Amino acid sequence: MTRQPVNLSTLAATVTVVLWALSFIAIRSAGHAFTPGVMALGRLAVAVVALVAIVITLRRKRSRSAFIPPRGRALALVVAYGVAWFGAYTVVLNWAEQHIDAGTAALLVNFAPILVAVFAGFFLGEGFSPPLVIGIAIGFVGVVLITFGGGSAHADWLGVGLRLLAALLYAAGVLLQKVALGAVDAVSATFWGALAGLVVTLPFLPAAITEVGQGSAADLGWVVFLGVGPTAVAFTTWAYALARTDAGTMAATTLVVPALVIILSWLLLDEVPTGLRIAGGALSLAGVALTRGLIPVPRRRSGVPRPVARGARVESELKEHEIEP
């Protein structure tokens, strides 16, 4: 019997999804020992070191060029999404998970792709197709249910508000990175974005010296894991899989993250979102699937062929670069 070769793209995508799911658990676990800014600084410092090791290990001409900073407009874009996504987003996400359970936080993250679609419609000239409008409406209803689906001892209004702010920062980062990727390869985009995020979190260094000295080995281990796993490794495996897999398939894999987080937070943290919030998360997932074209919407047939939507290629490229925290 012939042994089937391992599908490396599928393996890489699986690694990414699992690591992103575990990041919510890690943030929640280390949050009792570190303030949000200190945790972000530690995560990004470890990530930059790990990315240097990854680039050196790859030893390819294109990968080695990651150490050469982009120039002009590309550099401005990389710095912008590095500050918004790697820096500010990470701090706000850490802060949110001190007020909200990991499962609810993962459910709210699904609103970010909808924000990306809205911003792309307004600022990138992609327009608003019927599936996009329907998906946005359904996703918004889902977010409302998550927001008002209280009754959990592990979530409060501040946490929900911070998580929605994090989703906004995530969406802005995706759009900025999408434009930057026209001139910068994926490895360089990740390395320099993480470095920019690290620079803006340096003001937390004095507090980090104190908190790291007081933290336990387990707490420090979670921070190291966040930097190496969900940041450095997961972003690299995502880029590898995306280059070899259909964009729609890759987009569908990220929808597994909230389900994994809910299971893991139940098993490891004894936290489960309320039923209403889980229902809202399901609606949010359905909305994202519609906006990304993963659920077909019946269209009325007519004798006049429909023109191709302006910016369709841009939307396709944007799907390919969506990333979870």
Side-chain angles (χ1 to χ4, degrees):
M1 184 176 182
T2 304
R3 186 177 179 180
Q4 294 295 328
V6 177
N7 189 321
L8 295 180
S9 296
T10 301
L11 179 61
T14 302
V15 169
T16 299
V17 167
V18 172
L19 288 174
W20 280 342
L22 285 170
S23 70
F24 289 92
I25 308 301
I27 293 170
R28 186 74 172 160
S29 299
H32 70 93
F34 302 110
T35 53
V38 170
M39 200 190 315
L41 172 62
R43 173 179 180 171
L44 290 169
V46 173
V48 169
V49 173
L51 283 166
V52 169
I54 289 173
V55 171
I56 293 175
T57 301
L58 291 177
R59 295 187 181 281
R60 293 177 181 174
K61 182 177 180 181
R62 185 178 179 185
S63 297
R64 289 198 298 269
S65 68
F67 292 122
I68 302 175
R71 298 179 180 179
R73 181 170 178 264
L75 177 61
L77 288 168
V78 169
V79 171
Y81 76 71
V83 170
W85 195 359
F86 286 85
Y89 169 83
T90 304
V91 174
V92 173
L93 175 62
N94 294 342
W95 189 8
E97 287 210 45
Q98 292 185 352
H99 296 269
I100 193 171
D101 60 89
T104 302
L107 291 172
L108 282 170
V109 79
N110 291 291
F111 191 54
I114 295 176
L115 290 174
V116 170
V118 172
F119 292 160
F122 281 119
F123 301 116
L124 298 182
E126 295 183 9
F128 295 92
S129 64
L132 181 62
V133 174
I134 295 172
I136 290 172
I138 293 176
F140 181 77
V141 172
V143 171
V144 170
L145 287 178
I146 296 172
T147 303
F148 294 98
S152 172
H154 307 290
D156 58 33
W157 281 97
L158 179 58
V160 172
L162 288 170
R163 195 61 195 89
L164 290 175
L165 174 60
L168 181 64
L169 290 168
Y170 167 86
V174 168
L175 289 170
L176 289 168
Q177 189 191 51
K178 183 269 160 190
V179 180
L181 283 169
V184 183
D185 64 86
V187 176
S188 298
T190 303
F191 175 76
W192 290 102
L195 186 60
L198 175 61
V199 170
V200 298
T201 57
L202 286 178
F204 298 106
L205 183 58
I209 295 173
T210 301
E211 294 181 21
V212 169
Q214 297 174 348
S216 67
D219 296 328
L220 293 172
W222 280 120
V223 175
V224 172
F225 167 76
L226 283 168
V228 175
T231 308
V233 174
F235 274 56
T236 302
T237 52
W238 170 265
Y240 177 89
L242 188 60
R244 296 162 175 80
T245 310
D246 179 72
T249 302
M250 285 299 294
T253 61
T254 65
L255 301 181
V256 179
V257 172
L260 288 176
V261 173
I262 290 174
I263 294 172
L264 290 170
S265 62
W266 172 49
L267 294 175
L268 302 177
L269 303 176
D270 195 26
E271 296 178 354
V272 180
T274 63
L276 193 58
R277 281 182 168 145
I278 292 177
L283 282 176
S284 182
L285 288 172
V288 173
L290 279 168
T291 61
R292 307 274 43 97
L294 301 178
I295 298 178
V297 176
R299 298 178 180 176
R300 290 194 326 183
R301 295 183 178 180
S302 68
V304 181
R306 296 185 61 178
V308 176
R310 186 165 67 96
R313 183 175 63 84
V314 174
E315 182 178 2
S316 175
E317 293 174 357
L318 184 58
K319 295 178 191 176
E320 295 180 356
H321 301 297
E322 284 187 0
I323 307 176
E324 299 258 350

